Amino acid sequence: MMTNPIEASDIYDLLSACAAGQLGDNPAKGSELATYLSEQSTDMAAQFSQTTTLKIQLEHHHFVLQQVLQRCAVEAWRDFRRPRINYTDLPARCPKCAELLAGQWHCNLCGLELYRWQKHTGSDDSMGALPWGYALLPDPRRNRLIFLRLEPKTEVVWQVSLPARLNLNIRSALFLPNQEILLSSPNGKVVIVNLFGNVIWECKLPLIQPVYAGASQDGQTIYIADAGLQQVFKLNRDQQVLWSYGSAGQAGHDENYLNQPHCLFESPEGAYLIADTGNHRVLEISELSQKVKRIWGPELDLAAPTRVAAYPERYLSILDPSQFRLLDFLDAEVESDCTYYQNGLDPRYRLTQAFGAIRRENGHFVLSNTERAVEISPLQKRLLWFSLLTDLRLPLLPETPPVPASEKALPSTHLRSPFKLEETLKQVSVFATAPDEFFQKIKLCLRYEEYPAGHILIREGQRGDAMFVIKHGEVEILKEFQSVAILGSGDLFGEMALLNQASRNATVRIRSKVQLYRLNRLAFETVVQSFPEIYQRIKTLAHARQLTESDGQAIVNPAMSSESAKERLQKLMDSHKERLANLRSKARPPVSAGVQAAGPIHWTLKYSSLEQELIREAQFQNYRCLEMHIRLHPQCKMKSVRVSLLVMNLEKSAEIIKTHPLPEDILKEAFDSQVVLTVLTHASRSHLIEEALRVAEIEDVQAIPVQF
């Protein structure tokens, strides 16, 4: 794909904004700093004609910037600053693909919905001022915002790290004109930040749980839905409330009452649309009379609609994520009713409690929650792509404090030795005393592979089946989303997969284009059997590793019978009783009983003082405590077997300390379709959810942190 060349002016604008973020003001034209940035921008523009990534290190008086600058980030910055298009007349051809429009505000070739860019009063839609081909995703767990460019491939082009002091738990994000971002947080805040995370406006209303914030096309009017106050508001940036609906602090289903509203949208005609989530409906309210003009709900079987939007040309859409439904209306009639997930589909596409929702320029939806994101084509009824949010990362513009000259490290004098495959293979401990013939045969089994930067080669928690040797390039080792090591030419990783098929204990991401060799376990076992001493040493090490892992984690054979699964559940029940008995023998100060675990569902387990003490001790040892809320399919048969298999899957990376119902009731199948397992683990929540979803007939899984 051809791209426009990077201009020095594009880079200068970006560097000037960085300087403004550090120094509090843009460098004055003609000043020393402006001249310095202009010179650097010219050099960088020339370098971008030869490469896609630059490692820059700028220092001028108090301005210091050290980072890796990527071409895609400069292109995104340029796109963000382009004036927004607003059509007054229909163009003859589609501005995206040049197809003849034949009098329609909708392109039949590329799907571009031009009617959404007609200038009007009222709310802006979910794309806001984003350029075509982009999406903005909130990532509340990592306190950041992710900008994706979706064409020609899905890639992160910009990332905004939000200040920790704000204590945001982002639930909606809208890109406004002038490169501003409107955010809502159920912690009681609605703020506007710039592309560097600096707060430039904050709502002063006494909000409780604002789960949604929208804006007008010019970004000057703000729309807020507060699920805690049971109210919706329209206000300006001067903090003046222009319109509101609902009774403060009182939920209800009659006229003038709301129940957990999740969206407020002003239509081009001036009516207000409210997603009245707790009442399973969408309301249309007259601005002047505040009377209900229309209700969407019972006749559509809505369960918990969270988003509604109206467009010119009499279009309207409703998102009901609890049922995985997207509904489009034309002239108040249902034009499309798409269920984007059903049982039997790949569970990775199962997006529960979706709060991030963007309708793209071509009608596709990009949905996200705290764990993952998907893109859906309602017209084609297709799921287009899936990604964990942890995999969507580009560390642009990190906050790098200035380094005093006295503390700067001297350039490294260490030079890596030239790559020699046989010497690298000898670094593997089990190969230490192998003869030359062994290495000659192993080299014949190696498969040469190349991967681009950003590719995820190994994912934490997956089964391992190969070892890798790096010939050229670098890879990054990540644990819990944090970088722990960088490996380069001559390094190897994944060697424990040659001993057994244990789960990978880290994620490996390609840092720069890499050339490497893969040694599959099957090919390795074929060679090593010709060398009895090495073969025996490997069997001994594999057995020792399995015993070590079994001390803290259950080594599970997926082919275990249902009887052995039930025996494991019985053993769990016995160990739980023994653990509680040991705790009772310790003289400890009492802890207040009956504290509930926090979580977004309507009920959680209660913990006795002894159980709380156990959890506190584990957390002190850097374990996290999670409640796994699992819902089985209503028609599931042999529920106890499913739960037993579920227990075995989870115990590969967690220790289960409490169940609801009790283990004996599970074995008797004296429960409905809901099971809760409290676990202690070092693994990520997304990993545990994936492990749980591997069991058939699991309909839904939530992992909720336990906090006292």
Side-chain angles (χ1 to χ4, degrees):
M1 178 182 177
M2 296 295 293
T3 58
N4 294 327
I6 298 295
E7 302 289 344
S9 59
D10 300 324
I11 301 176
Y12 177 81
D13 287 340
L14 178 53
L15 296 181
S16 296
C18 294
Q22 282 192 26
L23 306 178
D25 194 8
N26 284 316
K29 192 172 183 179
S31 68
E32 285 188 31
L33 178 56
T35 303
Y36 173 74
L37 294 181
S38 179
E39 293 171 352
Q40 295 296 322
S41 300
T42 302
D43 292 342
M44 291 181 198
Q47 294 179 61
F48 268 127
S49 64
Q50 305 293 328
T51 185
T52 59
T53 304
L54 289 179
K55 187 173 182 180
I56 63 175
Q57 185 168 350
L58 306 180
E59 184 172 354
H60 188 274
H61 298 302
H62 299 292
F63 175 63
V64 177
L65 182 65
Q66 300 175 7
Q67 70 170 73
V68 174
L69 183 62
Q70 300 193 14
R71 180 190 182 94
C72 62
V74 182
E75 292 171 341
W77 174 263
R78 180 174 59 194
D79 291 343
F80 294 158
R81 294 172 61 83
R82 284 177 179 157
R84 175 180 175 137
I85 300 173
N86 281 302
Y87 293 103
T88 54
D89 299 313
L90 178 68
R93 291 184 176 272
C94 173
K96 191 172 184 183
C97 68
E99 176 75 1
L100 281 170
L101 294 175
Q104 300 182 84
W105 285 86
H106 182 280
C107 179
N108 291 323
L109 181 61
C110 69
L112 183 65
E113 299 174 336
L114 278 83
Y115 55 82
R116 295 165 56 188
W117 283 270
Q118 293 185 54
K119 191 174 177 107
H120 61 82
T121 58
S123 295
D124 207 354
D125 74 1
S126 55
M127 276 196 68
L130 280 174
W132 295 342
Y134 285 81
L136 168 61
L137 302 181
D139 185 3
R141 295 204 187 285
R142 283 152 284 276
N143 205 34
R144 63 178 181 146
L145 303 169
I146 307 167
F147 285 87
L148 296 180
R149 186 164 60 188
L150 302 165
E151 298 172 356
K153 63 178 181 178
T154 302
E155 60 178 340
V156 179
V157 294
W158 196 273
Q159 178 175 296
V160 179
S161 298
L162 299 169
R165 61 178 175 78
L166 287 179
N167 189 28
L168 291 177
N169 182 18
I170 322 158
R171 280 299 179 269
S172 70
L174 181 67
F175 193 63
L176 305 179
N178 301 319
Q179 301 82 54
E180 298 174 341
I181 310 164
L182 175 64
L183 306 176
S184 72
S185 163
N187 294 343
K189 295 181 180 179
V190 172
V191 300
I192 296 177
V193 301
N194 62 17
L195 283 169
F196 303 97
N198 301 317
V199 177
I200 56 181
W201 183 86
E202 183 171 355
C203 178
K204 301 301 182 183
L205 294 180
L207 303 174
I208 295 179
Q209 191 182 356
V211 292
Y212 169 84
S216 56
Q217 286 191 347
D218 61 6
Q220 298 304 306
T221 303
I222 310 298
Y223 302 85
I224 298 173
D226 192 319
L229 279 175
Q230 314 298 346
Q231 282 185 298
V232 295
F233 304 93
K234 172 184 175 181
L235 67 154
N236 58 27
R237 292 209 189 185
D238 293 329
Q239 312 291 340
Q240 298 172 318
V241 176
L242 308 176
W243 187 85
S244 66
Y245 190 86
S247 183
Q250 299 182 47
H253 62 274
D254 299 328
E255 192 167 334
N256 300 324
Y257 286 88
L258 300 173
N259 186 1
Q260 296 185 344
H262 273 67
C263 183
L264 170 64
F265 195 96
E266 185 176 3
S267 71
E269 292 76 27
Y272 293 97
L273 298 168
I274 302 172
D276 191 9
T277 307
N279 285 323
H280 323 296
R281 63 187 182 180
V282 170
L283 304 177
E284 183 180 11
I285 310 292
S286 169
E287 178 178 17
L288 296 178
S289 66
Q290 293 210 346
K291 298 293 185 183
V292 177
K293 297 174 61 176
R294 177 159 185 180
I295 300 176
W296 292 266
E299 76 284 0
L300 298 173
D301 294 323
L302 297 179
T306 59
R307 292 289 186 273
V308 58
Y311 309 100
E313 306 293 313
R314 303 178 303 282
Y315 284 93
L316 183 139
S317 68
I318 295 175
L319 169 64
D320 189 351
S322 64
Q323 298 188 103
F324 310 107
R325 289 175 72 193
L326 291 164
L327 296 95
D328 280 344
F329 299 80
L330 177 60
D331 290 328
E333 298 295 328
V334 177
E335 185 179 46
S336 171
D337 187 348
C338 172
T339 301
Y340 54 86
Y341 183 84
Q342 297 174 339
N343 289 326
L345 296 177
D346 190 330
R348 295 178 301 170
Y349 288 97
R350 182 183 178 85
L351 198 78
T352 58
Q353 297 181 335
F355 52 78
I358 289 183
R359 185 187 182 102
R360 288 190 57 198
E361 69 281 357
N362 56 8
H364 294 176
F365 272 82
V366 179
L367 305 178
S368 64
N369 61 11
T370 57
E371 301 288 347
R372 65 191 74 197
V374 299
E375 183 174 354
I376 299 153
S377 172
L379 183 63
Q380 301 173 344
K381 292 182 168 54
R382 289 182 55 207
L383 298 163
L384 302 178
W385 58 264
F386 146 85
S387 178
L388 293 173
L389 294 187
T390 53
D391 291 342
L392 298 175
R393 187 186 183 202
L394 179 62
L396 281 175
L397 304 174
E399 296 182 3
T400 306
V403 181
S406 59
E407 298 180 11
K408 290 182 179 178
L410 295 174
S412 172
T413 58
H414 173 73
L415 296 177
R416 189 180 293 273
S417 301
F419 174 76
K420 294 182 180 179
L421 179 58
E422 187 167 326
E423 291 183 8
T424 302
L425 290 173
K426 288 180 180 179
Q427 297 176 22
V428 183
S429 59
V430 292
F431 300 169
T433 60
D436 292 341
E437 182 185 1
F438 170 81
F439 292 105
Q440 295 303 319
K441 290 188 175 182
I442 283 292
K443 285 194 288 186
L444 295 175
C445 297
L446 296 174
R447 189 173 70 193
Y448 177 81
E449 295 177 347
E450 292 186 3
Y451 293 96
H455 178 77
I456 302 295
L457 184 62
I458 290 175
R459 197 181 303 280
E460 184 177 354
Q462 287 181 336
R463 290 290 184 182
D465 65 350
M467 180 188 80
F468 298 86
V469 181
I470 303 173
K471 179 182 180 182
H472 180 72
E474 290 184 336
V475 303
E476 187 176 18
I477 311 298
L478 301 125
K479 288 190 176 183
E480 290 295 315
F481 194 62
Q482 299 298 319
S483 177
V484 296
I486 303 294
L487 303 182
S489 177
D491 290 329
L492 51 85
F493 56 94
E495 62 271 23
M496 296 313 297
L498 302 181
L499 303 182
N500 53 47
Q501 289 182 312
S503 299
R504 300 290 194 185
N505 61 10
T507 295
V508 178
R509 181 173 61 193
I510 308 303
R511 195 164 182 260
S512 62
K513 182 180 177 181
V514 72
Q515 302 169 349
L516 49 78
Y517 296 100
R518 176 195 291 263
L519 176 59
N520 287 326
R521 186 182 182 210
L522 181 61
F524 168 72
E525 288 180 340
T526 302
V527 171
V528 80
Q529 290 183 30
S530 302
F531 301 86
E533 291 184 5
I534 300 175
Y535 184 57
Q536 186 58 43
R537 187 187 309 137
I538 290 172
K539 285 178 62 179
T540 302
L541 283 174
H543 181 64
R545 177 178 170 86
Q546 188 172 15
L547 290 177
T548 301
E549 290 182 348
S550 64
D551 287 340
Q553 298 178 350
I555 305 301
V556 179
N557 180 355
M560 290 180 71
S561 67
S562 62
E563 282 303 315
S564 62
K566 289 187 176 183
E567 289 173 3
R568 183 68 193 93
L569 194 58
Q570 183 68 44
K571 183 179 178 182
L572 170 67
M573 179 176 63
D574 295 339
S575 65
H576 179 53
K577 290 178 179 178
E578 181 181 354
R579 187 186 299 111
L580 290 179
N582 290 337
L583 279 172
R584 287 191 183 95
S585 65
K586 299 178 181 180
R588 293 185 178 273
V591 182
S592 59
V595 180
Q596 293 188 341
I601 60 174
H602 66 283
W603 65 277
T604 51
L605 299 184
K606 292 185 178 181
Y607 297 91
S608 68
S609 59
L610 290 170
E611 291 167 333
Q612 290 183 44
E613 184 64 25
L614 171 65
I615 293 170
R616 290 177 190 278
E617 285 186 355
Q619 290 173 336
F620 182 74
Q621 298 176 28
N622 295 322
Y623 282 84
R624 61 166 55 93
C625 184
L626 302 171
E627 277 189 13
M628 304 292 296
H629 288 248
I630 297 107
R631 187 169 68 246
L632 302 175
H633 193 275
Q635 280 75 47
C636 175
K637 297 180 179 179
M638 300 179 68
K639 293 184 291 187
S640 63
V641 174
R642 294 298 174 203
V643 176
S644 302
L645 293 173
L646 177 69
V647 166
M648 290 191 295
N649 260 17
L650 292 178
E651 286 206 327
K652 289 183 287 185
S653 50
E655 181 179 0
I656 300 174
I657 63 170
K658 188 179 179 71
T659 69
H660 175 81
L662 295 173
E664 50 263 39
D665 292 330
I666 295 176
L667 291 172
K668 296 174 186 175
E669 301 209 357
F671 67 103
D672 49 18
S673 60
Q674 184 83 14
V675 177
V676 182
L677 305 175
T678 303
V679 302
L680 299 175
T681 183
H682 287 303
S684 66
R685 294 169 65 183
S686 58
H687 171 67
L688 292 180
I689 290 172
E690 296 289 346
E691 286 296 321
L693 288 172
R694 294 180 191 275
V695 179
E697 298 190 273
I698 298 294
E699 190 172 71
D700 187 36
V701 179
Q702 296 181 38
I704 301 168
V706 175
Q707 298 173 347
F708 299 124

